[in-house]
Amino acid sequence: MNYKEYISTKLNVQGVTATELESFIEIPPNTDMGDFALPCFKLSKILRSSPIKIAEDLANAFMVDDVVSGCTAVNGYLNFKINRNAFASALLNEIIEKGDCFGSDDIGNGKTVCIDYSSINIAKPFHIGHLSTTVIGSALCKIYRFLGYKVVGINHLGDYGTQFGKLIVAYKKWSSEQAVLEGRLKELTRIYVMFHDQAKENPELEDEARHYFKLIEDGDEESNKLFELFKKITLEEVDKIYKLLNVTFDSYAGESFYNDKMAPVVQELDQKGLLKDSEGAKIVDLEEYGMSPCLILKSDGSSLYATRDIAAAIYRKNTYDFYKNLYVVAYQQNLHFKQFFKVLELMGKDWATDCVHVAYGMVSLESGSMSTRQGKVVLLEDVISKTIEKAYKVIEEKNPNLPNKEQTARAVGTGAVIFGALCNNKIKDIVFSYDRVLSFEGETCPYVQYTVARCNSVINKCGNPKDFELIDLNDDEYAVLNQLGRFKEVVKSAADKYEPSLVTRYALDLASAFNKFYITCRISGEQDKIKNFRLTICKSVKTVLTNALTLLGIQTVEEM
Ligand code: ARG
């Protein structure tokens, strides 16, 4: 039952469509006054009347029925009470019936969404700065799939550029296959840093690097073999982290994949009269749009980051015919995305408007921000293992007899890292704190996971609920049901706003409503009908919290 829709079609407001009215209707934070409310100041301008008068007139005209049992005007708000019993039975029955599909939808059927995320750079350490793109992108993939879309998760690898020439030079001078196979990414980072130190004194190293990069591009066998080795090692290393974080991709087509797909793009730009010479380089002038020019070719004819992104977007449109093409990339790259989206538009690609830069803020540590050059990188792998370790310690302290301690610590530790990164509006910069993400109180993952475990333990103790019969709902029971009823809407707006944090916040709200209910409403020892109804609530909360956490890539535990 869509109550907002139902109410808005019953209201009759001249000059305002039912859809508009529906968008004005809110679920009040405190349901004492009503279950739904229409703030009438939103209608004042159109109706040229005061909100108080509008609310009163609308209340007088409204006919209550089996679905909406009350409608009153209070201070310019029109408050609706719904028939809570009908709402409760329909909702609980639906959750029981749909289980892990509850909240899913088919609105996305037949549509494809491309999501470019994580998009790491080959041979560079995977640090905490990559956490947000990885978990936001992964959550968006799961959310869109849940809504019926076909999703193509793309790791647009940074596998192109002179740095690979530098690595080959460094490898030949200071490393070996064995050292790289053993030292892995750490060895690659070591020799990369060494190259930069040495190149300060011996600038001819830079020429050598350029030479090797050219060899890679020209298909030289030895150089490409080395490059493939660096790529293989990087991917194997990051794959361990992806596994921990429940992250998967459908494509690893990185920057070098577009090597042979750029010439036609440059040609098209030229044909459409968009290319301009600028000191030997080729650019698209964007001054008219208040932006610096988009660089397409350097004076030596080589392509740039933007060139490859333009080719990639066209390739994605041709290959997947996307409905939307998302890029989960830090806000530092705002200009880059604005520029190349504009270039696509100028090329006459009407789908340019379906390309979206899903920008997010920076992650730093309490000890300050990171700097690769100063060697102050914090590896994501270290953060995750430290969090798992800490989770293990907390379990040892609080529940030493727990079976599967290690598995639980892993779910709690990685969950805490993911949840911590998905907790706030994505554009906000965040400061990562081990203690905070692992706390059992407040807005944390362990708090939500613990709530699931609590539901589970009640069910284990009192037995699975049988077919329920309705009882007279008290406010705490209704508050939980009210949250359960919001889930679908939350998932949809998380997709619409590219904001997985809405699901995170929702999980916290539902957990907190449940915990309040759990304190005030007795279950064990209560008479059968009430007990069974409340157990049904426990089971439904477990289902919906699990569904919400799954969308975020977080595992639940039965006990903790
Ligand atoms: N590898 C890039 C970086 O680390 C991010 C790539 C994002 N995706 C894209 N299509 N530009 O900065």
Side-chain angles (χ1 to χ4, degrees), residues 116 119-121 130 156-158 255 305 309 316 327 329 333 336-337:
D116 178 323
S119 299
I120 49 149
N121 297 323
H130 298 114
H156 184 77
L157 300 176
E255 295 192 34
Y305 184 46
D309 257 330
R316 286 175 200 172
Y327 297 85
V329 183
Q333 295 192 27
H336 165 73
F337 284 98

Side-chain angles (χ1 to χ4, degrees), residues 136 140 144 324 326 356 358 426 493-500:
I136 294 172
L140 287 176
Y144 275 102
K324 269 186 186 168
L326 313 183
V356 183
V358 177
K426 64 183 180 298
S493 48
D496 286 346
K497 297 183 176 147
Y498 319 113
E499 190 61 89

